[in-house]
Amino acid sequence: MATIKDVAERAGVSVSTVSIALKRDPRVKESTRQRILEAVQSLGYRPNGIARDLKMQQTQTMAVFLHDLGGPFYSELVSGVQDVALSHGYSPIVACSVGGKGVALERLLVENRVDGAIILDPYIKEDFIRRVAGPTLPLVLLDRDIEGAYVYRVTSDHEGGAFNVTMHLLEMGHRQIAFIGGPSVSVDGQLRFRGFARAMKHFGVDLQNRLMIHGDFTEQSGYAAAVTLLSQGRLPEAIFAANDEMAIGILRAFSERSVRVPDDVALVGFDDIRLTQYTTPALTTVHQPMYELGTVATQILFRALAGEKSITPVLLETQVVIRASSGLRH
Amino acid sequence: MATIKDVAERAGVSVSTVSIALKRDPRVKESTRQRILEAVQSLGYRPNGIARDLKMQQTQTMAVFLHDLGGPFYSELVSGVQDVALSHGYSPIVACSVGGKGVALERLLVENRVDGAIILDPYIKEDFIRRVAGPTLPLVLLDRDIEGAYVYRVTSDHEGGAFNVTMHLLEMGHRQIAFIGGPSVSVDGQLRFRGFARAMKHFGVDLQNRLMIHGDFTEQSGYAAAVTLLSQGRLPEAIFAANDEMAIGILRAFSERSVRVPDDVALVGFDDIRLTQYTTPALTTVHQPMYELGTVATQILFRALAGEKSITPVLLETQVVIRASSGLRH
DNA sequence: TAATTCTATCGAAACGTTTCGATTATAGAT
DNA sequence: ATCTATAATCGAAACGTTTCGATAGAATTA
């Protein structure tokens, strides 16, 4: 691999001249630049980005960490990040935050291979985040509630969305409403429960223990929850699944057993993943502004990188999307 | 940011001693190692990965480039990559290959910030790939047909899958079959057409020009193709959409106009994305082994990295998945 | 002509590691 | 006490850039 030194030699100039010539610095004479460019060509020289990063003490790269890359709405999030990052001359890369020791999280964050990161993963330990964040590595956390220096936060209004969609169910006359929750670590799952409980209280409806079931945001856990409910003998009037994946699992369990949605039981989810438009019946859910989440988070990252100090947490609105599964004719 | 030098000073040893102590080299006495560890602690020292990469002349990082990160089946591909990469001590990162100058593709590949890459993007220029590949940067291409030094290939059997699913339609008695193709650059789209044409020929059915329509793999283009077909007055007996996204667009156009699938017209897609199970009717399609594509590609990458020279292209089998949209009762 | 300002180029240090060969301290053998 | 083998540590070079201050020559001014 040819280095800048080889180019300098071939062109008969010094290394420093090559370096500045390559960034079109007007200090170098046009004729010498040409000579240098020829040398570059003939040697197939490509600058070594790592050497550059080391010298510059920055990488112009930022990372997005996701718990599992396959999540159905992450692509929009990443688009949002991408659009803003590119306009700042940065390259976003996406990495999976799981995998244990020696993995991307270590390599990129601990060993400073990126200038900043956006993190969407309820499982990453709080003290890891606080330890690793710093003036040279601001971190923007999505849907987490961690305070710390150089740690910033953007969250969707899970509680508000959950409140609104629960109100929707209540207004349709349902009172016996089951709640299928997410894993206990996930703040967004907790907030969704809070919104649900607040709406129930608002209508003066008591929560029933047997209708509060814990899942883990997977389709299978939704399926299992449906089976649990069915085993209780009588179904509730409605079910609020804390995310769409679980709602889809529930739908599958019901369809296999000929339980009709929404006639026998109404069902709503959360997230508005693409699939919800295609299920039978289409799923009422709460839309999360994923693209906006990406752009806002990235903007905050650049403000932090620019040295801005006090950046307040951002809360983004969510929106109820009413479809057939909740029983409203439209 | 504390450097190894600071640690050395604080611990009262030389830089080199710290360096080897930190990798548990038995040459350094236990007591000094402890002293060093304390210094690391109190200074909050974190090794600088970039300096290390520069010195080592490798990054232990590989990239996966996707044309758009949102593609519905990429997550499985990436899981496959991840599983193999981790077992080799490598961190895969995912980046989007679009975005023009100064973007991830440049930064990571041209400037050698990764040790190798897997690329799934029909739009990346052939000469770029050949120019950038080299002994220090093997490239594994997915669904592309480019030959070159240090360029390796893994492909799904698009042609075979298309042949088989077309045979399925023919065996069900359909003769007038429309083909909705992908963008002309995409090799996989071309192969799917080849398989389709071969099956038609096999049954002695002529292709009709009016039934050969070009799309671009998006849902909208499928919708548009359906509209085109409808405008012709009489529908074909069956439609083969070169990917599921377009098939879904077609389905939407038909459902909006009360054209019944499969009663009025049969429909098949390609890819077996998750959505195909949930559409009404569920979509007959061809399953691509995406996870396997990821693992195989990554294994090849590591063989190349290990210096293996002649690695032959791999072809992975696809499988027809028969669901309701093609009309077969099951 | 001498002094001054540009213009074009160069040399060297620095970024933070790793590693090789050299050096010193410690112990064991003669 | 001297020599040798081993253990523990050190110093310096190298990885490939960027950039600052220096330098030499050409052009301008007095």
Side-chain angles (χ1 to χ4, degrees):
Chain A
M1 192 89 264
T3 73
I4 196 172
K5 211 166 157 185
D6 302 320
V7 174
E9 215 157 290
R10 166 81 69 122
V13 295
S14 78
V15 167
S16 41
T17 304
V18 175
S19 178
I20 59 177
L22 255 26
K23 33 184 87 62
R24 345 201 88 264
D25 186 308
R27 276 179 300 175
V28 4
K29 227 195 321 191
E30 190 49 34
S31 62
T32 36
R33 158 171 306 117
Q34 283 314 323
R35 212 149 20 93
I36 289 171
L37 256 27
E38 275 164 33
V40 165
Q41 270 298 341
S42 71
L43 291 170
Y45 167 73
R46 282 154 43 188
N48 181 320
I50 297 178
R52 166 171 239 271
D53 289 348
L54 177 61
K55 178 64 193 180
M56 298 279 105
Q57 296 284 79
Q58 54 160 319
T59 64
Q60 303 279 110
T61 302
M62 54 167 290
V64 178
F65 284 98
L66 301 175
H67 181 72
D68 80 296
L69 299 178
F73 46 48
Y74 294 162
S75 79
E76 274 193 79
L77 171 73
V78 176
S79 308
V81 172
Q82 174 112 347
D83 289 350
V84 175
L86 284 182
S87 74
H88 286 252
Y90 265 64
S91 314
I93 61 182
V94 182
C96 180
S97 39
V98 300
K101 208 69 184 171
V103 86
L105 210 59
E106 287 276 327
R107 305 185 53 69
L108 299 182
L109 295 187
V110 179
E111 300 187 356
N112 275 297
R113 261 173 267 246
V114 293
D115 293 349
I118 292 172
I119 299 181
L120 174 49
D121 183 343
Y123 297 97
I124 296 181
K125 297 277 194 316
E126 182 164 342
D127 65 328
F128 173 83
I129 289 180
R130 266 210 286 262
R131 181 162 54 81
V132 101
T136 60
L137 187 70
L139 257 30
V140 179
L141 264 38
L142 269 25
D143 286 343
R144 296 276 312 245
D145 206 22
I146 296 177
E147 303 226 19
Y150 308 103
V151 173
Y152 309 93
R153 282 132 63 196
V154 183
T155 314
S156 298
D157 187 6
H158 302 285
E159 182 178 343
F163 177 82
N164 290 333
V165 77
T166 309
M167 288 296 280
H168 164 66
L169 288 174
L170 288 162
E171 280 158 5
M172 306 226 9
H174 302 303
R175 289 297 176 274
Q176 291 237 335
I177 306 179
F179 182 85
I180 317 300
S184 46
V185 280
S186 88
V187 176
D188 46 340
Q190 288 166 23
L191 291 172
R192 290 170 195 184
F193 177 74
R194 271 237 282 274
F196 166 75
R198 187 153 61 82
M200 294 290 271
K201 188 163 190 182
H202 191 270
F203 260 69
V205 184
D206 288 336
L207 305 184
Q208 288 179 257
N209 242 325
R210 72 168 178 102
L211 297 182
M212 305 296 111
I213 299 180
H214 255 290
D216 62 4
F217 279 163
T218 63
E219 185 183 339
Q220 295 93 293
S221 78
Y223 188 97
V227 171
T228 304
L229 285 173
L230 282 162
S231 72
Q232 294 179 350
R234 64 211 152 108
L235 279 176
E237 295 160 20
I239 302 174
F240 178 6
N243 81 342
D244 290 335
E245 290 289 330
M246 295 196 295
I248 286 165
I250 293 171
L251 223 40
R252 184 161 56 84
F254 284 170
S255 110
E256 284 174 8
R257 289 163 181 77
S258 305
V259 174
R260 291 164 310 161
V261 175
D263 307 353
D264 297 335
V265 54
L267 175 65
V268 303
F270 204 112
D271 284 345
D272 194 26
I273 66 176
R274 181 161 178 226
L275 244 175
T276 55
Q277 302 168 45
Y278 294 93
T279 52
T280 318
L283 199 62
T284 291
T285 186
V286 179
H287 180 76
Q288 280 207 69
M290 294 306 287
Y291 178 85
E292 205 185 347
L293 205 61
T295 56
V296 169
T298 311
Q299 275 153 359
I300 288 182
L301 194 66
F302 284 113
R303 282 164 57 198
L305 243 17
E308 198 172 322
K309 230 44 219 271
S310 54
I311 301 178
T312 49
V314 173
L315 187 72
L316 296 177
E317 287 204 2
T318 53
Q319 196 158 20
V320 176
V321 179
I322 295 174
R323 299 205 183 90
S325 74
S326 56
L328 196 67
R329 307 277 161 258
H330 52 151
Chain B
M1 192 90 262
T3 74
I4 197 174
K5 211 165 158 187
D6 302 320
V7 174
E9 215 157 292
R10 165 81 70 123
V13 296
S14 78
V15 166
S16 42
T17 304
V18 176
S19 179
I20 59 177
L22 256 24
K23 32 184 89 61
R24 347 200 87 263
D25 187 307
R27 276 178 300 173
V28 6
K29 224 190 330 184
E30 190 50 32
S31 63
T32 36
R33 186 208 305 293
Q34 282 314 323
R35 214 151 18 96
I36 289 171
L37 256 28
E38 275 164 34
V40 165
Q41 269 299 341
S42 72
L43 291 169
Y45 168 73
R46 282 151 47 185
N48 182 321
I50 298 178
R52 164 171 242 270
D53 290 348
L54 176 60
K55 178 64 194 182
M56 300 278 98
Q57 297 284 76
Q58 54 161 320
T59 64
Q60 301 279 111
T61 301
M62 54 167 292
V64 178
F65 285 97
L66 302 174
H67 181 71
D68 80 293
L69 300 179
F73 45 50
Y74 293 161
S75 79
E76 273 193 82
L77 171 73
V78 175
S79 309
V81 172
Q82 175 111 348
D83 288 349
V84 175
L86 282 182
S87 74
H88 285 253
Y90 265 64
S91 314
I93 61 182
V94 182
C96 180
S97 40
V98 299
K101 207 69 182 171
V103 88
L105 209 59
E106 288 275 327
R107 304 185 55 67
L108 299 182
L109 296 187
V110 179
E111 301 187 356
N112 276 296
R113 261 174 268 247
V114 294
D115 294 349
I118 293 173
I119 299 181
L120 174 50
D121 182 343
Y123 297 99
I124 296 180
K125 298 275 196 315
E126 182 164 343
D127 66 327
F128 173 83
I129 289 179
R130 266 209 285 263
R131 181 161 55 80
V132 102
T136 60
L137 186 69
L139 258 28
V140 179
L141 265 35
L142 268 27
D143 287 342
R144 296 278 308 247
D145 205 21
I146 296 177
E147 303 226 18
Y150 308 103
V151 174
Y152 309 93
R153 281 132 61 198
V154 182
T155 314
S156 297
D157 187 7
H158 302 285
E159 182 176 345
F163 177 82
N164 290 334
V165 77
T166 309
M167 288 297 280
H168 164 66
L169 288 173
L170 288 161
E171 280 158 6
M172 305 227 10
H174 302 302
R175 289 298 175 272
Q176 292 237 333
I177 305 180
F179 181 85
I180 317 301
S184 46
V185 280
S186 90
V187 176
D188 46 340
Q190 288 165 25
L191 291 172
R192 289 170 195 184
F193 178 74
R194 273 236 283 275
F196 166 76
R198 186 154 61 82
M200 293 291 271
K201 187 163 192 181
H202 191 270
F203 260 69
V205 183
D206 289 336
L207 304 185
Q208 289 178 256
N209 243 326
R210 72 167 178 102
L211 296 182
M212 305 296 112
I213 299 182
H214 254 290
D216 61 5
F217 280 162
T218 63
E219 184 183 338
Q220 294 95 293
S221 78
Y223 187 97
V227 171
T228 305
L229 285 173
L230 283 162
S231 73
Q232 295 179 351
R234 62 212 154 107
L235 280 176
E237 294 160 19
I239 303 175
F240 178 5
N243 81 342
D244 290 335
E245 289 288 331
M246 295 196 296
I248 285 165
I250 293 170
L251 221 43
R252 185 159 57 83
F254 284 170
S255 111
E256 285 174 8
R257 289 164 181 76
S258 305
V259 174
R260 291 164 309 163
V261 175
D263 306 353
D264 298 334
V265 54
L267 175 65
V268 303
F270 204 111
D271 285 344
D272 194 27
I273 65 176
R274 181 160 178 229
L275 243 175
T276 54
Q277 304 170 43
Y278 294 93
T279 52
T280 317
L283 200 61
T284 291
T285 185
V286 179
H287 180 76
Q288 281 206 70
M290 294 306 288
Y291 178 87
E292 207 185 345
L293 204 61
T295 55
V296 170
T298 312
Q299 275 152 0
I300 288 183
L301 194 66
F302 285 114
R303 283 164 57 197
L305 243 16
E308 199 172 321
K309 229 46 220 266
S310 54
I311 301 177
T312 49
V314 172
L315 187 71
L316 296 178
E317 286 204 3
T318 53
Q319 193 156 22
V320 176
V321 179
I322 296 174
R323 299 206 183 89
S325 74
S326 56
L328 196 66
R329 306 278 160 259
H330 53 152

